[in-house]
Amino acid sequence: MKITLANADAALDEVLRDTDKLHSRELRKAIAEYIETQREALKALRKKLH
């Protein structure tokens, strides 16, 4: 699946929703932290491009 910068946030939201279905609380937390890191990277990339 090819992700563009324009829909990257939506893709991260979708992953986070899917994560809520996992039984492991530790895994959900780790994925949520990773998603937050990716959101910060997206913000930095947007600033760099504009």
Side-chain angles (χ1 to χ4, degrees), residues 2-42:
K2 185 176 181 181
I3 302 291
T4 63
L5 189 56
N7 66 2
D9 280 322
L12 289 175
D13 288 338
E14 185 176 340
V15 170
L16 195 55
R17 281 191 304 274
D18 289 345
T19 301
D20 290 338
K21 298 174 187 173
L22 296 173
H23 294 287
S24 171
R25 189 177 311 150
E26 293 155 348
L27 185 55
R28 285 193 311 261
K29 182 181 176 189
I31 292 171
E33 289 172 357
Y34 179 77
I35 288 174
E36 184 58 33
T37 301
Q38 295 306 305
R39 287 188 198 281
E40 291 172 11
L42 281 172

